[in-house]
Amino acid sequence: MEILAVDNISFQYPDMDEYVLDHFSMHVSEGDFVVVCGPSGCGKTTLLRLLKHELAPVGKQSGTITYAGKNVLDYDERTLIEDIGFVFQDPENQIVMDEVMQEIVFGMENLGYSNFEMRKRVAEMVHFFGMEDLLDKKPSELSGGQKQMLNLLSVLLLKPKVLLLDEPTSQLDPVAAKDLIVMLERLNKEMGMTIIIVEHRLEELFAIADQVVMMEKGAITYKGTSREVIESVYTNDDKQFIPYIPSVARLYLSEEKKPIQTGIPLTVKESKAWLASLDSKPKETHEQPIESILEHTKPLLSVKKAYFQYDRYAPLILKNLSLDIHPGEFFALVGGNGSGKTTLLKLCIGMIKAQRGSAKFAGKDIHKLKGKELYERMAYLPQNPQTYFVQDTIEKEMRSVMEQNDIQDGEQEMTNMLALFGIRHLRHRHPYDCSGGELQRAALACMLLAQPDILFVDEPTKGLDPIAKENFANVLKDLHEKGLTIVMVTHDIEFAAKHVERCAMLFDGEVTVDGTPDHLFKGNYFYTTAINRATRLSNRQEVLTLEEAFDQW
Amino acid sequence: MENGIRGYHPYVVFFYYICTGFLVMYFKHPLFLATALIILICVNISHDRGKSLRKWMIPLMVMSLFFMVLNPFLVSRGTNILFYFRGKQVTLEATMYGVVMAIALVSVIVMFVSFNILLNGNKFLYIFSKVLPRTAFLLMLAIRFVPLLKSRFDEIRAVQRVRGTTMTVGTLRQRARNGMYMIQVLLTWSLEEAIQTADSMKARGYGIGKKTSYIPYRMEKRDWGWLATLLVLFSVCIWGGMLGYGKIVIYPELGTLHLYVLDWILFVCMTIILAFPLIVEGRERLRWKY
């Protein structure tokens, strides 16, 4: 039975010339798992918001949205609130109350449920989610993944028939993201819930989805089952959408001599089966000698035997941690949530001081650096680049940086920077009117005016679509080639494996291992790329990235 | 469900604090007050081994010394003169009054430390929400914002530090200006994020009709039992106090400290009221041992 139907919807925001949605139609049957993807600004979030009537943006709209056979405008508010649930992107901002239990019942309280009904539903669902231990906690004590689970739970208690999710995993680390997706799969399979999810991280979703919709400029570009969509994107060689396709599927389509649609592997298991059918090729067993990565230069940044805890009774976050960064390196630090990545970064930029041990930048204690020594030599791109902007346009921001650094003929320099990062059109924009990727590049452009020696980057791939991610990687690569030292903290293994020179894995407050991406990630169960998991112990040479496979096979 | 006194209904616990607070300021007899103070300290120790009380140790001592020393020297009312200090009389009455006031004040603060542990944030709000539901909800939203703003401000400080905008170096003017910049970023950013919170509230039906409230606590038999006990004992104390028992006359001349039978009865009543958390915790501990 058809549960949601979007017919010929066009939508235009006030004061905008373009249509965000342009004669868009989509039909969803009950129990479907629909994945919607596309570059930022393609109208997918607007679509999702139009489906949730209370959140519908203000603007000019034509066409109809039908829910269970009736136009949504004819429903009373209450039914729609109950039947259509919505989970947002940011785990933190959706939480309203200051206690987990209060937050869980928030929706039910608003709709005036009886105490009996609330207790019944809470007892059932909290158990299903296994969240009993968290009930007495404060939301601020939960991890990102737990917060997002809490949001999902709170929405589910209203017993929605359709669940809408707007990039729910984009702020989560891979483990938490996987947990959330597994939970969605369960809801879909065990309870028959209809799910429409907008997402950039697609490797796992393709395997679950019944319907994939790829959008561009407010219209559908590809639509169909996962395999249909993958095949047509690949045969059209569509540069816009190829990065969205899981790497194993791409490997199959390029390596297999007679690819058939039903044979496209979507999971690691399927890819292993396919790889087993390939003729085996001799593996080069060139066991790369673990060359001395430690160059013979003096390290630019050096952390020695650092210990840190936030409070005398709090657990140690960093334990006996040592790390050297040499000039000109592109270095990534990976590790799970709570492994101390962010704390280490704070130590490196001198926000905190190690209780024991030292952190030195060019021979000086970082915590004591101030003024010129700091802003002329270091740059720090945070997870939320909006924290960088003080002025109300990007141009003004750049001017203030130039003033601070006494840059002569800045006008020329500024134009060059804007061109280098491809953000000339943003010059007079307010920082809050830019997308995440644009904001990142704008912040980088401002920082690099001062020509720093070292750049710290914190989780740069959070919330970026695959194209924006690639653009950002290219920017970093350029900078690296020009001699900038880059230190990146990330949990995006695919990204690190593809672009970085040297990696270190942080576990339990210590750098456990340190080496090239090859050494570090190959052969892992979890901390590795999907393609490595598939090619490990197969007939072919083990590879870490798709490019490597094209290269070596 | 929590154990011991924490498992009791917030109303009962709240009533306990009303009784305690009132009685500590009601009775003026040094024996009553000293006993109350000792019991309240024990109550605190039973909560968390006195961890939070220890932080208050020094201010409490300083304050009580202050009262005990200053009162006799500043106030010269009273009949029994102990000695003269720079030509002013220091009286026994004023000294006694200082001691009584100091103990009462310290007891009240010790009581609030315990109050803070037992009726923390949400239980307190729960009690409030019965009387002022809207205010309580607003308060809840505001409390939720505290950790959010703090973590955001930390992030802003880190970014701006590397940019050379800090509040730790420069002239006072510069520091103030930098501080204002950072607050400005914090506010703009938080407002932007708060839009999402508003959306999330709307998506879950906030404001579409009459709100009910989930009642996480239930009054059980033992809650009613203790509530009744406390009420009876409290009434006895008030009644006795109105007859003048449990109190002493200080000004103009210090009365007798002698305790009559009724005084002893009131004393026992007060002790039982104050020791309510101790009795509950003690019984629980015994049950585990045997």
Side-chain angles (χ1 to χ4, degrees):
Chain A
M1 201 190 87
E2 195 173 83
I3 190 159
L4 257 180
V6 180
D7 282 304
N8 222 5
I9 277 272
S10 292
F11 186 86
Q12 192 181 21
Y13 281 105
D15 306 324
M16 295 274 257
D17 298 331
E18 282 165 44
Y19 280 93
V20 190
L21 289 174
D22 194 4
H23 298 286
F24 184 93
S25 300
M26 185 170 101
H27 295 258
V28 179
S29 308
E30 204 172 341
D32 263 5
F33 195 114
V34 184
V35 176
V36 182
C37 59
S40 9
C42 73
K44 49 193 191 322
T45 300
T46 309
L47 170 71
L48 217 56
R49 284 179 165 257
L50 286 172
L51 293 178
K52 173 85 181 159
H53 193 60
E54 302 76 47
L55 299 178
V58 183
K60 228 167 71 188
Q61 183 189 339
S62 63
T64 54
I65 298 172
T66 323
Y67 167 67
K70 216 163 96 180
N71 194 320
V72 283
L73 298 173
D74 301 335
Y75 276 95
D76 64 312
E77 237 180 332
R78 201 189 151 88
T79 318
L80 284 182
I81 287 172
E82 282 180 334
D83 282 5
I84 303 180
F86 199 106
V87 177
F88 297 80
Q89 182 174 2
D90 193 293
E92 183 85 61
N93 291 337
Q94 300 170 57
I95 297 174
V96 179
M97 304 302 267
D98 194 42
E99 195 184 56
V100 170
M101 192 63 197
Q102 297 280 335
E103 178 65 23
I104 289 174
V105 295
F106 180 72
M108 293 194 289
E109 285 183 341
N110 287 332
L111 295 172
Y113 285 20
S114 70
N115 232 314
F116 174 79
E117 186 66 25
M118 285 198 240
R119 279 177 181 276
K120 198 178 86 173
R121 290 192 184 189
V122 166
E124 179 194 44
M125 284 309 265
V126 168
H127 181 66
F128 180 68
F129 271 67
M131 280 187 32
E132 291 93 337
D133 300 342
L134 305 179
L135 288 181
D136 291 327
K137 289 206 171 163
K138 299 232 164 207
S140 49
E141 295 163 355
L142 306 185
S143 72
Q146 287 172 328
K147 280 180 199 155
Q148 201 62 305
M149 280 293 187
L150 168 64
N151 292 321
L152 183 61
L153 172 61
S154 176
V155 167
L156 286 177
L157 282 175
L158 298 178
K159 301 210 170 148
K161 309 226 164 45
V162 181
L163 191 60
L164 308 173
L165 302 105
D166 185 12
E167 299 183 30
T169 68
S170 70
Q171 310 287 317
L172 308 183
D173 68 89
V175 190
K178 181 90 195 165
D179 284 348
L180 190 77
I181 287 171
V182 167
M183 182 52 88
L184 293 176
E185 191 182 2
R186 269 186 83 183
L187 289 171
N188 179 250
K189 293 219 166 108
E190 290 173 21
M191 307 196 179
M193 197 173 288
T194 311
I195 292 178
I196 303 180
I197 179 171
V198 164
E199 191 55 277
H200 293 313
R201 214 191 301 218
L202 297 168
E203 294 266 349
E204 287 117 4
L205 284 176
F206 267 107
I208 312 170
D210 296 309
Q211 202 187 132
V212 177
V213 176
M214 286 186 169
M215 287 176 70
E216 203 186 354
K217 293 194 180 116
I220 291 178
T221 321
Y222 299 97
K223 192 166 105 177
T225 63
S226 311
R227 291 195 171 91
E228 282 165 16
V229 169
I230 290 173
E231 197 189 25
S232 42
V233 169
Y234 193 82
T235 44
N236 288 355
D237 196 22
D238 194 330
K239 289 273 177 300
Q240 275 292 328
F241 287 104
I242 283 215
Y244 285 89
I245 298 180
S247 41
V248 280
R250 274 165 79 184
L251 188 65
Y252 170 84
L253 289 167
S254 63
E255 290 296 314
E256 180 68 38
K257 289 181 193 76
K258 278 175 274 166
I260 44 166
Q261 200 194 79
T262 48
I264 297 174
L266 295 177
T267 60
V268 169
K269 188 173 151 188
E270 285 167 3
S271 354
K272 279 207 173 249
W274 163 63
L275 282 166
S277 73
L278 288 182
D279 50 322
S280 63
K281 266 190 191 169
K283 292 186 199 175
E284 297 169 51
T285 45
H286 62 276
E287 189 55 45
Q288 293 163 321
I290 301 185
E291 76 236 69
S292 155
I293 316 162
L294 299 174
E295 293 152 57
H296 296 291
T297 50
K298 245 178 97 187
L300 185 60
L301 177 91
S302 115
V303 178
K304 283 211 172 63
K305 297 193 182 303
Y307 285 82
F308 183 79
Q309 56 195 142
Y310 279 99
D311 183 29
R312 196 151 64 96
Y313 301 103
L316 278 169
I317 314 265
L318 303 179
K319 294 173 200 163
N320 196 16
L321 188 139
S322 299
L323 184 71
D324 279 332
I325 308 286
H326 297 274
E329 249 188 329
F330 189 174
F331 175 81
L333 201 64
V334 297
N337 256 350
S339 58
K341 280 180 307 184
T342 313
T343 311
L344 179 57
L345 198 67
K346 276 190 190 164
L347 185 72
C348 290
I349 59 171
M351 265 308 278
I352 53 172
K353 194 177 178 303
Q355 269 109 23
R356 262 190 286 162
S358 67
K360 289 198 162 98
F361 177 71
K364 278 188 190 153
D365 197 337
I366 304 176
H367 188 67
K368 289 190 187 128
L369 291 181
K370 51 184 122 169
K372 265 194 171 173
E373 296 167 293
L374 209 57
Y375 64 72
E376 280 188 349
R377 305 198 61 182
M378 276 193 191
Y380 166 46
L381 182 65
Q383 277 182 42
N384 300 299
Q386 54 269 61
T387 51
Y388 178 84
F389 293 93
V390 176
Q391 312 288 339
D392 52 12
T393 66
I394 285 160
E395 185 180 346
K396 279 192 198 160
E397 197 70 60
M398 295 182 98
R399 281 188 198 285
S400 84
V401 174
M402 288 189 303
E403 205 176 301
Q404 192 184 29
N405 289 285
D406 296 320
I407 295 172
Q408 303 304 317
D409 79 297
E411 213 47 50
Q412 188 54 40
E413 191 68 14
M414 198 158 82
T415 321
N416 288 347
M417 261 315 162
L418 288 169
L420 177 70
F421 289 99
I423 48 168
R424 236 175 284 169
H425 58 292
L426 301 178
R427 188 165 180 159
H428 300 291
R429 219 46 93 87
H430 191 281
Y432 284 80
D433 293 333
C434 303
S435 74
E438 288 173 339
L439 205 56
Q440 258 181 358
R441 275 177 283 156
L444 267 185
C446 294
M447 288 169 195
L448 293 176
L449 278 175
Q451 295 184 320
D453 300 333
I454 191 164
L455 171 68
F456 295 96
V457 191
D458 192 5
E459 301 288 3
T461 58
K462 248 187 187 180
L464 292 189
D465 64 68
I467 306 278
K469 220 162 154 175
E470 242 163 60
N471 286 340
F472 185 76
N474 290 335
V475 167
L476 283 189
K477 250 185 194 162
D478 275 354
L479 295 175
H480 172 56
E481 270 158 28
K482 283 181 191 149
L484 184 67
T485 314
I486 303 176
V487 177
M488 179 168 77
V489 164
T490 186
H491 43 224
D492 192 332
I493 308 283
E494 317 259 341
F495 188 78
K498 219 160 150 184
H499 305 291
V500 165
E501 270 184 349
R502 186 162 74 97
C503 277
M505 210 187 308
L506 208 59
F507 174 72
D508 198 23
E510 262 184 288
V511 171
T512 23
V513 273
D514 164 359
T516 62
D518 258 22
H519 288 130
L520 205 56
F521 298 134
K522 272 189 185 165
N524 293 355
Y525 273 111
F526 184 73
Y527 266 107
T528 187
T529 57
I531 198 163
N532 182 255
R533 263 175 268 174
T535 56
R536 203 153 55 95
L537 308 175
S538 70
N539 291 338
R540 300 288 182 97
Q541 176 83 24
E542 175 183 24
V543 292
L544 204 53
T545 62
L546 193 62
E547 285 72 18
E548 196 183 341
F550 291 152
D551 221 38
Q552 296 200 356
W553 287 13
Chain B
M1 201 62 183
E2 288 160 299
N3 283 330
I5 184 72
R6 287 178 171 86
Y8 277 79
H9 196 281
Y11 284 174
V12 182
V13 180
F14 190 59
F15 186 65
Y16 162 74
Y17 285 113
I18 293 179
C19 298
T20 312
F22 191 85
L23 291 182
V24 165
M25 292 190 282
Y26 192 56
F27 292 133
K28 287 272 164 8
H29 196 287
L31 177 70
F32 278 63
L33 283 174
T35 315
L37 181 60
I38 292 167
I39 294 175
L40 284 172
I41 289 173
C42 292
V43 166
N44 254 304
I45 291 171
S46 80
H47 295 332
D48 59 352
R49 292 163 191 258
K51 218 192 235 165
S52 15
L53 190 62
R54 226 169 290 155
K55 289 182 200 149
W56 282 89
M57 235 20 177
I58 292 164
L60 280 179
M61 289 214 201
V62 170
M63 211 175 60
S64 45
L65 261 173
F66 196 72
F67 264 93
M68 282 192 236
V69 175
L70 274 190
N71 199 56
F73 284 103
L74 289 180
V75 181
S76 37
R77 278 178 73 192
T79 323
N80 297 312
I81 298 161
L82 293 176
F83 56 89
Y84 284 90
F85 180 74
R86 294 190 172 206
K88 268 182 96 180
Q89 49 190 358
V90 175
T91 64
L92 176 65
E93 281 78 12
T95 315
M96 198 61 189
Y97 193 76
V99 171
V100 167
M101 279 308 283
I103 302 180
L105 216 80
V106 169
S107 306
V108 170
I109 292 171
V110 173
M111 182 195 90
F112 270 111
V113 173
S114 145
F115 181 96
N116 228 348
I117 301 169
L118 284 195
L119 291 182
N120 53 0
N122 296 311
K123 280 188 184 164
F124 184 64
L125 274 181
Y126 170 74
I127 293 165
F128 243 97
S129 65
K130 286 287 149 182
V131 199
L132 300 165
R134 276 184 179 271
T135 315
F137 179 68
L138 210 67
L139 215 62
M140 192 74 157
L141 287 186
I143 294 173
R144 162 93 186 107
F145 255 86
V146 175
L148 279 183
L149 287 181
K150 197 183 165 297
S151 70
R152 282 181 196 147
F153 195 63
D154 280 348
E155 204 175 325
I156 292 171
R157 261 191 352 167
V159 179
Q160 297 295 337
R161 179 190 136 86
V162 178
R163 269 195 80 173
T165 315
T166 76
M167 288 193 295
T168 49
V169 279
T171 62
L172 197 65
R173 216 187 135 90
Q174 267 173 341
R175 289 188 205 197
R177 201 192 52 199
N178 290 343
M180 285 312 291
Y181 273 146
M182 283 193 258
I183 298 280
Q184 182 195 328
V185 175
L186 177 69
L187 290 183
T188 351
W189 187 27
S190 297
L191 281 177
E192 184 87 13
E193 307 278 296
I195 295 174
Q196 294 174 33
T197 313
D199 275 344
S200 148
M201 287 166 71
K202 235 185 340 181
R204 282 180 289 162
Y206 179 70
I208 72 154
K210 199 166 169 0
K211 208 172 169 240
T212 50
S213 82
Y214 179 77
I215 303 165
Y217 312 102
R218 261 189 283 202
M219 281 293 266
E220 282 168 36
K221 221 165 115 194
R222 54 175 201 165
D223 293 311
W224 287 114
W226 265 107
L227 198 63
T229 315
L230 287 176
L231 196 65
V232 169
L233 293 173
F234 187 56
S235 314
V236 172
C237 287
I238 298 286
W239 168 75
M242 282 201 305
L243 295 178
Y245 294 97
K247 298 180 171 183
I248 49 166
V249 180
I250 294 179
Y251 296 126
E253 192 180 358
L254 190 65
T256 174
L257 290 177
H258 181 76
L259 294 169
Y260 299 94
V261 180
L262 213 54
D263 281 314
W264 284 114
I265 292 174
L266 290 191
F267 182 74
V268 172
C269 288
M270 185 201 73
T271 311
I272 296 174
I273 295 180
L274 260 56
F276 159 54
L278 289 180
I279 297 170
V280 171
E281 296 281 352
R283 211 168 50 185
E284 196 133 306
R285 203 157 292 178
L286 277 182
R287 207 172 287 160
W288 279 107
K289 275 220 173 113
Y290 305 107

